[in-house]
Amino acid sequence: MSHANEDEEGMAISLEAEALSLLGHVHADDAPLDAMLALVAFEARSDDHRAALARVIHAWHVVGAIDPAAIPLGDDVPSLPDVALARRARAGWLRRSDPIRRRVGVVAAAAVAAGVAIVLIPTAPPRAPVAQVYATALGQTRSVRLEDGSRILLGADSRISASIADDRRTVRLVSGQALFTVAHNASRPFVVEAGTTEIRDIGTVFAVTRHADATTIGVTEGVVEATVPGAAAMRLGAGQQVRFDRAGHGTVGAIEPGMATGWQTGLLRYNRAPLSDVVADINRYAATPLRLADPAIAHLPYSGTVRTDAIGEWVSALPYAFPVKVRYRRDGVEIAPRVAAASGR
């Protein structure tokens, strides 16, 4: 054998020893991700490193586990029957899919090309979700596309926090309103939290509006499941709406197509909604805020529409529909009961 061949063989054995040591750390270390990253860095150094790692991984899979101090490496590694390898796979020794592998990339591309299963590391816990915050300004709407393919249309002066994990997708509606078009995935539930109300997607399009003392859910397509503390889950289908008050009491009603989502085109539509909810919605679009001067008029039921580009006209017409009067103040518009309302006229 020539000196050149001896040098090459010696280098190969040295690389195999290093690769074996790194592979052993993947199983032994308390921080397997760090060990896996070191293995990836080794594989990327050169074609020789990649080939050495492929040989070591093949040997590891053949014998099930290798003691670096006792098992020689080389082309004469004995083969075991395929059935024995399959038995170990069923016992959990060989893991063909693992969250860590997905995160750091494929180790030993040459081994993968040869069809060798290469992952022998402990299963990592689901990745911790990283919350993303989205918000809109007064009168502004915003379309958000999540990494799972779901879409959220955020209403004016609204705020959400979205966390996408391996086993659950959670969106918290901090304030305002949003329209959800969900990419359905039964293994990764899509849940919207609005205060104490939780809305779980069952393949649907739905809108959620959060007010100071209530949460309204309107379903456009499909079905959602809504729950509040201390109450049984409630299922809502297309064309249904529920309003949960502060105490968690839900009132279900039918809605016309587009009533829950009309705000995306600048048209707010209501069917016997409390005046307080209507005013809260308008204030997300109005440059001059509206204020109810007396709680006695907060629950007056309003049915009709409000154009977000004609709020002034709506306010001017309000005294003709309700027993209220309008006062224009420096800090906004005040809506107060008429004196006649107290006498029942």
Side-chain angles (χ1 to χ4, degrees):
M1 180 181 295
S2 67
H3 289 296
N5 290 338
E6 290 178 355
D7 291 342
E8 290 176 1
E9 183 178 355
M11 183 182 71
I13 294 175
S14 176
L15 290 178
E16 288 169 354
E18 185 179 353
L20 180 58
S21 175
L22 290 172
L23 192 60
H25 290 161
V26 169
H27 293 269
D29 283 358
D30 293 332
L33 179 57
D34 291 342
M36 194 65 175
L37 290 171
L39 203 61
V40 171
F42 174 88
E43 184 267 342
R45 284 164 62 182
S46 73
D47 291 340
D48 290 335
H49 286 76
R50 184 159 42 252
L53 182 56
R55 290 193 296 272
V56 167
I57 288 173
H58 173 70
W60 188 294
H61 277 247
V62 168
V63 301
I66 294 176
D67 180 354
I71 304 297
L73 296 177
D75 295 334
D76 58 344
V77 175
S79 297
L80 294 182
D82 291 341
V83 66
L85 191 61
R87 189 179 301 117
R88 288 196 192 90
R90 286 196 297 272
W93 283 93
L94 305 181
R95 301 188 183 276
R96 293 177 180 271
S97 177
D98 189 278
I100 291 181
R101 176 177 140 192
R102 292 196 298 270
R103 290 164 59 191
V104 301
V106 176
V107 180
V112 173
V116 179
I118 63 171
V119 180
L120 281 160
I121 59 180
T123 301
R127 62 182 173 130
V130 177
Q132 298 289 331
V133 177
Y134 305 93
T136 53
L138 194 73
Q140 177 192 30
T141 60
R142 178 181 180 183
S143 180
V144 176
R145 182 182 176 89
L146 302 181
E147 65 177 72
D148 70 320
S150 298
R151 292 183 179 275
I152 302 174
L153 181 62
L154 200 56
D157 195 21
S158 301
R159 185 182 182 89
I160 61 172
S161 174
S163 301
I164 307 299
D166 288 334
D167 57 349
R168 178 184 168 105
R169 299 165 291 171
T170 305
V171 177
R172 186 164 65 94
L173 180 60
V174 180
S175 61
Q177 62 189 168
L179 174 65
F180 300 88
T181 303
V182 180
H184 187 61
N185 185 337
S187 64
R188 299 174 73 195
F190 190 100
V191 177
V192 176
E193 298 174 352
T196 58
T197 303
E198 182 177 285
I199 306 101
R200 185 178 293 261
D201 160 68
I202 309 179
T204 189
V205 178
F206 61 98
V208 182
T209 302
R210 185 175 178 184
H211 295 118
D213 59 353
T215 298
T216 302
I217 306 160
V219 183
T220 301
E221 298 177 14
V223 179
V224 301
E225 186 175 85
T227 57
V228 294
M234 178 184 298
R235 285 206 170 193
L236 302 170
Q240 287 187 303
Q241 177 177 283
V242 63
R243 182 183 186 272
F244 290 106
D245 61 20
R246 188 188 295 272
H249 299 136
T251 303
V252 180
I255 55 174
E256 298 176 5
M259 181 170 287
T261 59
W263 52 267
Q264 61 184 311
T265 59
L267 186 65
L268 311 180
R269 302 175 62 187
Y270 302 94
N271 180 21
R272 298 188 63 78
L275 187 60
S276 59
D277 285 5
V278 179
V279 169
D281 289 343
I282 290 173
N283 279 337
R284 287 197 289 274
Y285 299 88
T288 303
L290 310 183
R291 182 177 66 255
L292 296 179
D294 192 322
I297 62 175
H299 298 289
L300 291 174
Y302 177 77
S303 296
T305 61
V306 182
R307 287 173 46 200
T308 58
D309 61 351
I311 294 173
E313 288 86 338
W314 182 85
V315 171
S316 298
L318 199 58
Y320 296 95
F322 288 100
V324 299
K325 56 186 176 182
V326 176
R327 299 169 178 162
Y328 294 90
R329 310 289 192 183
R330 285 189 175 184
D331 59 347
V333 178
E334 183 181 81
I335 302 172
R338 286 204 304 262
V339 174
S343 64
R345 298 203 327 249

